[in-house]
Amino acid sequence: MSPRRRDAEGTTSARAERRAELLAAAAQVFAERGYTATTVREVADAAGILGGSLYYHFDSKESMVEEILSTFLDDMWAGFDRILAAGLGARETLEALVAESFRCIDVYRPAVVIYQKESRYLAATWERFGYLAESWRRHQEMWLGLIERGIAEGEFRADLDPALIYRFIRDAVWVAASWYQPGEKLPAEEVGTQYLSIVLEGIQATT
Amino acid sequence: MSPRRRDAEGTTSARAERRAELLAAAAQVFAERGYTATTVREVADAAGILGGSLYYHFDSKESMVEEILSTFLDDMWAGFDRILAAGLGARETLEALVAESFRCIDVYRPAVVIYQKESRYLAATWERFGYLAESWRRHQEMWLGLIERGIAEGEFRADLDPALIYRFIRDAVWVAASWYQPGEKLPAEEVGTQYLSIVLEGIQATT
Amino acid sequence: MSPRRRDAEGTTSARAERRAELLAAAAQVFAERGYTATTVREVADAAGILGGSLYYHFDSKESMVEEILSTFLDDMWAGFDRILAAGLGARETLEALVAESFRCIDVYRPAVVIYQKESRYLAATWERFGYLAESWRRHQEMWLGLIERGIAEGEFRADLDPALIYRFIRDAVWVAASWYQPGEKLPAEEVGTQYLSIVLEGIQATT
Amino acid sequence: MSPRRRDAEGTTSARAERRAELLAAAAQVFAERGYTATTVREVADAAGILGGSLYYHFDSKESMVEEILSTFLDDMWAGFDRILAAGLGARETLEALVAESFRCIDVYRPAVVIYQKESRYLAATWERFGYLAESWRRHQEMWLGLIERGIAEGEFRADLDPALIYRFIRDAVWVAASWYQPGEKLPAEEVGTQYLSIVLEGIQATT
DNA sequence: AATGAATGAGGATTCATTCAT
DNA sequence: CATGAATGAATCCTCATTCAT
């Protein structure tokens, strides 16, 4: 707590904080206009600095999205992995995954939008974004496994194609990020609950 | 039937056919890489000609998407309007609208993808694309009206937010265009049927 | 000789000719101001077109020097290899090599200047220019081998360091490209002859 | 001898020393990569400080080369002038000039390299470097006068073009700075002696 | 209809330089 | 003295578009 110590800490975290600020501005703009259609100047304007100044903090426009996406994905997968490791039933797992998804939408909304809209383009254009394709693959694996298990255990309807259910859920849930706004009437959690309710009614086996 | 007249007709339709071919190629590429990220050269490559040659057929890159989108939207709204005018019950109307949506996905897949991913950007950037925002507004109006009617008539669940149901359906259905591929295992119609089945189970009132 | 055939040939070579013209202009400017200090606009100005137009013909500023240098080096080494394979005596070989060097200076003057001034920078900065370092290595090998042979055969002075002689000759000869101008009083060949005369007097063994 | 005075002196010379250190680092890097291709950051890195910090010591990148070059040139011309004023014979003068040149290469190697490679560019780009062109002119005048005198006095060969001899010597001698390294096998003086020996044999009149 | 060369505005990036701390 | 964040002009390069052939 000595002044010296506060300075040192301050300096270290000041840099990280500034990066985070700038990335927040960038994510916002990328999500709104699309990564390619957004100019570096627009990002800089949103951050209140000049175009060239961004390059003091980041290597390139590319590395900005990089950091935006990987920060979000790391957190998301940590959350998903925790849930998957908890040994819950199929239905409880699905509930938890949907809730976690909405938490991510709440916290990382712009990143989620970018992840959805730009993944294919980014992965197809630069090798460094190969991990995005990998993330989608894990996504599919996770949901598909869960749904098949739910069907096998008699919890989910057996008359539907599992791959189709997977996509249905994935899309219905994730696309919500595209329209969900900070000032939305319903809190993200409530949206999640209602979505979950629809999905569960829609896919659970009738007894 | 004079040679001249046949020529004229032949020329006219040949020209129209060529346009259609080129637009199909363009739509394909725009859908895959995104409108902004796609260069005119890429479109031309996909069509087997050189970049400059496209300008014999079209005024600009802009007017290509224009035509791709308006062709699709005109057809889609004609279909929707026919259904809405048919005087069906809420549930039957919803069934017909979902079926019509999947017909559009089947016929205009790339256009649907573009409509979803690029509408916001296009409408925000050029006035001439204002009709896209208008189309989305009509979309919302249509679904919201239908859902509220269904709730009022006791066919749909009353415990859900109508605006939320609207988005849920819209997203779940339309985003299917993003993953639906020509060679898909299930035909579009079957996908539509299963989606509808999930949605109906999910939102209909329990008796 | 039919018009058609002439057209086809014409088209093919027209492209190559244009490239050559542009490269000549570029080499000129690069040699005069230095590669890094030369802007693409200056190259374009020298060629009478706009900056962007260069990119129709070349991938990058880098690939322009690339082509300038490799064209020159390929020709130079072909010449050197022919001479080295001819089985001449040390003194005759040296004479021929110097003559060939001055022929290159005459034909590729700007390229020679670039080769001298920028090789180190280019090779250190981009892997693709690694062959420049390789070329210098062959250069050294060639001259050093020749000089040692000349000393061993008693044709060249034994009281000098061979590596030093090599550098002396290399520099004296090649740097001439820096000052030799198209309108020079003496033709390149005559300069070569006089240089050779100085060098030979300077290094040959006194009998 | 008062503390104050000692401080003042100490500060002054400390500052001068620091400048010299920084300039040595700068010269090194400029010589290696070329003035234009070297960034201020690279200079700072080589000096172990940050880019901005250089501006506490120097006005600009320009003024760094300025100082590097003028320090060297002042010393060099002082040496040359002393020799020229000594009233030696043509041959002895030439010997002394070559020796002095190698002394400069030894002491100011990076500056010599910069002087050779960048003079034309600097003089053509900024008026303040006009003195570089002037220095080259004096160089030429000096050598040319000497050579013509040597020829007239029968010491040097009359069958060679004096301008050519001048360039030959100038280049052969000065370019040595480009390859001479601190750890070189032969000391600079010995290189000078051998070079001189070649040159003298090469140009002196045969009796 | 199509080609291919060129245009020129705009975009990402670099870098010398400034300045508050 | 040095730092580190920011500036802004300049640079390389891209790309929609034009146009003579």
Side-chain angles (χ1 to χ4, degrees):
Chain A
M1 287 295 182
S2 73
R4 165 152 285 142
R5 188 154 157 232
R6 210 159 63 229
D7 276 353
E9 273 179 10
T11 304
T12 303
S13 67
R15 196 166 208 140
E17 264 175 50
R18 190 72 179 111
R19 279 178 82 87
E21 269 173 46
L22 297 174
L23 286 179
Q28 181 73 38
V29 190
F30 287 156
E32 193 158 330
R33 300 199 29 100
Y35 172 72
T36 316
T38 301
T39 70
V40 168
R41 235 205 105 196
E42 283 167 337
V43 173
D45 282 354
I49 58 178
L50 290 180
S53 306
L54 283 173
Y55 289 83
Y56 177 78
H57 300 276
F58 305 98
D59 282 348
S60 62
K61 188 183 166 190
E62 224 177 297
S63 70
M64 290 184 224
V65 230
E66 227 295 336
E67 195 162 336
I68 291 167
L69 289 174
S70 61
T71 302
F72 147 59
L73 286 176
D74 287 350
D75 192 7
M76 179 187 83
W77 279 110
F80 283 170
D81 287 342
R82 218 178 302 116
I83 291 165
L84 295 173
L88 305 171
R91 195 201 144 107
E92 285 75 27
T93 303
L94 187 141
E95 284 175 4
L97 290 177
V98 169
E100 171 68 12
S101 298
F102 275 93
R103 185 191 68 85
C104 287
I105 289 176
D106 202 29
V107 179
Y108 300 106
R109 204 189 62 82
V112 174
V113 174
I114 298 167
Y115 178 56
Q116 290 208 173
K117 284 208 213 156
E118 317 278 7
S119 278
R120 203 180 327 229
Y121 165 72
L122 292 172
T125 309
W126 292 288
E127 281 191 26
R128 80 190 288 191
F129 287 106
Y131 71 92
L132 291 176
E134 177 55 20
S135 178
W136 283 109
R137 216 173 300 121
R138 282 185 70 191
H139 235 120
Q140 162 162 9
E141 203 178 283
M142 176 183 87
W143 284 108
L144 218 49
L146 174 64
I147 289 160
E148 282 166 349
R149 179 176 142 217
I151 292 175
E153 293 175 356
E155 294 221 72
F156 301 154
R157 291 167 58 179
D159 62 325
L160 300 172
D161 183 52
L164 197 141
I165 300 179
Y166 145 62
R167 280 160 176 155
F168 183 93
I169 295 177
R170 180 196 65 186
D171 292 346
V173 169
W174 284 111
V175 184
S178 292
W179 57 261
Y180 189 77
Q181 300 286 356
E184 205 67 32
K185 190 176 63 176
L186 301 175
E189 207 187 326
E190 173 62 16
V191 176
T193 306
Q194 295 207 10
Y195 260 50
L196 185 61
S197 159
I198 302 178
V199 168
L200 279 177
E201 285 299 318
I203 68 168
Q204 73 192 345
T206 50
T207 41
Chain B
M1 288 294 178
S2 72
R4 163 153 285 143
R5 193 160 155 225
R6 214 161 58 230
D7 275 353
E9 270 178 11
T11 303
T12 301
S13 68
R15 177 169 292 198
E17 264 176 50
R18 190 72 181 113
R19 277 178 83 86
E21 270 173 44
L22 297 174
L23 285 177
Q28 180 73 38
V29 189
F30 287 156
E32 194 157 330
R33 300 201 25 103
Y35 172 72
T36 318
T38 300
T39 69
V40 169
R41 237 205 107 200
E42 283 167 336
V43 173
D45 281 355
I49 58 178
L50 288 181
S53 307
L54 281 174
Y55 288 81
Y56 177 81
H57 301 277
F58 304 99
D59 282 349
S60 64
K61 188 184 169 188
E62 230 175 292
S63 69
M64 291 184 226
V65 230
E66 199 346 298
E67 195 163 336
I68 291 166
L69 289 174
S70 60
T71 302
F72 147 61
L73 285 176
D74 287 351
D75 192 7
M76 180 185 83
W77 280 111
F80 284 169
D81 288 342
R82 217 178 303 118
I83 292 167
L84 294 173
L88 305 172
R91 194 198 144 110
E92 285 77 25
T93 303
L94 187 142
E95 284 175 5
L97 289 177
V98 170
E100 172 66 11
S101 298
F102 274 94
R103 186 190 68 84
C104 287
I105 289 177
D106 201 29
V107 179
Y108 299 106
R109 204 188 62 84
V112 174
V113 174
I114 297 166
Y115 178 55
Q116 289 208 176
K117 286 207 213 155
E118 317 279 6
S119 279
R120 183 137 40 187
Y121 165 73
L122 292 172
T125 308
W126 292 289
E127 283 193 21
R128 81 190 286 191
F129 287 105
Y131 70 91
L132 291 175
E134 177 55 21
S135 176
W136 282 109
R137 217 172 298 119
R138 283 185 68 192
H139 235 122
Q140 163 163 9
E141 202 177 283
M142 174 184 88
W143 283 109
L144 218 48
L146 174 64
I147 289 160
E148 281 167 349
R149 181 178 141 214
I151 291 175
E153 293 174 357
E155 294 220 71
F156 302 154
R157 292 168 57 179
D159 61 326
L160 301 171
D161 183 54
L164 198 141
I165 299 181
Y166 146 61
R167 280 160 175 154
F168 183 93
I169 295 178
R170 180 196 64 186
D171 292 347
V173 170
W174 284 111
V175 183
S178 291
W179 57 261
Y180 189 77
Q181 300 285 357
E184 205 66 34
K185 191 175 63 175
L186 300 175
E189 207 189 324
E190 172 63 16
V191 176
T193 307
Q194 295 206 9
Y195 261 49
L196 185 61
S197 159
I198 301 178
V199 167
L200 279 178
E201 285 297 319
I203 68 168
Q204 73 192 344
T206 49
T207 43
Chain C
M1 290 292 181
S2 72
R4 164 153 285 140
R5 191 156 154 230
R6 211 159 63 227
D7 276 352
E9 274 178 11
T11 304
T12 302
S13 66
R15 196 166 207 140
E17 265 175 49
R18 190 72 179 110
R19 281 177 82 87
E21 269 173 46
L22 297 173
L23 286 178
Q28 180 73 38
V29 189
F30 287 156
E32 193 157 330
R33 300 201 26 102
Y35 171 73
T36 315
T38 300
T39 70
V40 168
R41 236 206 106 194
E42 284 167 336
V43 173
D45 282 354
I49 58 178
L50 289 179
S53 306
L54 283 173
Y55 290 83
Y56 178 77
H57 300 276
F58 304 99
D59 282 348
S60 61
K61 189 183 165 188
E62 223 177 297
S63 69
M64 289 184 226
V65 228
E66 228 290 340
E67 195 162 335
I68 290 167
L69 289 174
S70 60
T71 302
F72 147 60
L73 286 175
D74 287 351
D75 192 7
M76 179 186 84
W77 281 110
F80 284 170
D81 288 341
R82 217 178 302 117
I83 291 165
L84 294 173
L88 305 171
R91 194 200 145 107
E92 285 77 25
T93 302
L94 187 141
E95 284 176 4
L97 290 176
V98 170
E100 172 67 11
S101 298
F102 274 93
R103 186 191 66 86
C104 287
I105 290 176
D106 200 30
V107 179
Y108 300 106
R109 203 189 61 83
V112 175
V113 174
I114 298 167
Y115 178 56
Q116 289 209 174
K117 284 207 212 153
E118 318 277 7
S119 278
R120 200 175 336 224
Y121 165 72
L122 292 171
T125 308
W126 292 289
E127 280 191 25
R128 80 190 287 191
F129 287 106
Y131 71 92
L132 290 177
E134 176 57 20
S135 177
W136 283 108
R137 216 172 300 120
R138 282 185 70 190
H139 237 120
Q140 162 163 9
E141 203 177 284
M142 176 184 87
W143 283 109
L144 219 47
L146 173 65
I147 289 160
E148 282 166 350
R149 181 178 140 216
I151 292 175
E153 293 175 357
E155 294 219 71
F156 301 153
R157 291 167 57 178
D159 62 327
L160 301 171
D161 183 54
L164 198 141
I165 300 180
Y166 144 62
R167 280 160 174 154
F168 183 93
I169 295 178
R170 180 196 66 186
D171 293 347
V173 170
W174 284 110
V175 184
S178 293
W179 57 260
Y180 190 77
Q181 302 284 0
E184 205 66 33
K185 189 176 62 175
L186 301 176
E189 209 188 322
E190 173 61 17
V191 176
T193 306
Q194 295 207 10
Y195 261 49
L196 186 61
S197 159
I198 302 179
V199 169
L200 278 178
E201 285 299 318
I203 69 169
Q204 71 192 347
T206 49
T207 41
Chain D
M1 286 295 179
S2 73
R4 164 152 282 145
R5 191 158 156 227
R6 210 160 62 229
D7 275 354
E9 269 178 13
T11 303
T12 302
S13 68
R15 178 168 291 199
E17 264 176 50
R18 191 73 180 111
R19 279 178 82 87
E21 268 173 47
L22 296 174
L23 285 178
Q28 179 73 36
V29 189
F30 288 156
E32 193 157 330
R33 302 204 21 106
Y35 172 73
T36 318
T38 300
T39 69
V40 169
R41 239 204 105 202
E42 283 168 335
V43 172
D45 281 355
I49 58 177
L50 288 181
S53 307
L54 282 173
Y55 288 82
Y56 177 81
H57 301 276
F58 304 99
D59 283 348
S60 63
K61 188 183 170 190
E62 229 174 292
S63 69
M64 290 184 226
V65 231
E66 210 328 310
E67 195 162 336
I68 291 166
L69 288 174
S70 60
T71 302
F72 147 61
L73 285 175
D74 287 351
D75 192 8
M76 179 186 83
W77 280 110
F80 283 169
D81 287 342
R82 216 177 304 118
I83 292 165
L84 294 173
L88 305 172
R91 196 200 142 108
E92 286 74 26
T93 302
L94 186 141
E95 283 175 5
L97 289 177
V98 169
E100 172 67 10
S101 298
F102 274 93
R103 186 190 67 85
C104 287
I105 289 177
D106 201 29
V107 178
Y108 299 105
R109 204 189 61 83
V112 174
V113 173
I114 298 166
Y115 178 55
Q116 289 210 175
K117 286 208 212 156
E118 317 278 7
S119 278
R120 181 132 47 181
Y121 164 73
L122 292 171
T125 310
W126 292 288
E127 282 192 22
R128 80 190 286 189
F129 288 105
Y131 70 91
L132 291 175
E134 177 55 22
S135 177
W136 282 109
R137 217 172 300 121
R138 283 186 68 193
H139 235 119
Q140 164 164 7
E141 205 176 282
M142 173 183 88
W143 284 108
L144 218 48
L146 174 64
I147 290 159
E148 281 166 349
R149 180 178 141 216
I151 292 175
E153 294 175 356
E155 294 221 70
F156 302 154
R157 290 167 59 179
D159 61 327
L160 300 172
D161 182 55
L164 197 140
I165 298 180
Y166 146 60
R167 280 159 175 155
F168 183 94
I169 295 178
R170 179 196 65 185
D171 294 346
V173 170
W174 284 110
V175 184
S178 292
W179 57 260
Y180 189 78
Q181 302 284 358
E184 205 66 33
K185 192 176 60 175
L186 300 176
E189 206 189 326
E190 172 63 16
V191 176
T193 307
Q194 295 207 10
Y195 261 49
L196 186 61
S197 158
I198 301 178
V199 168
L200 279 179
E201 285 298 319
I203 68 169
Q204 73 192 344
T206 50
T207 41

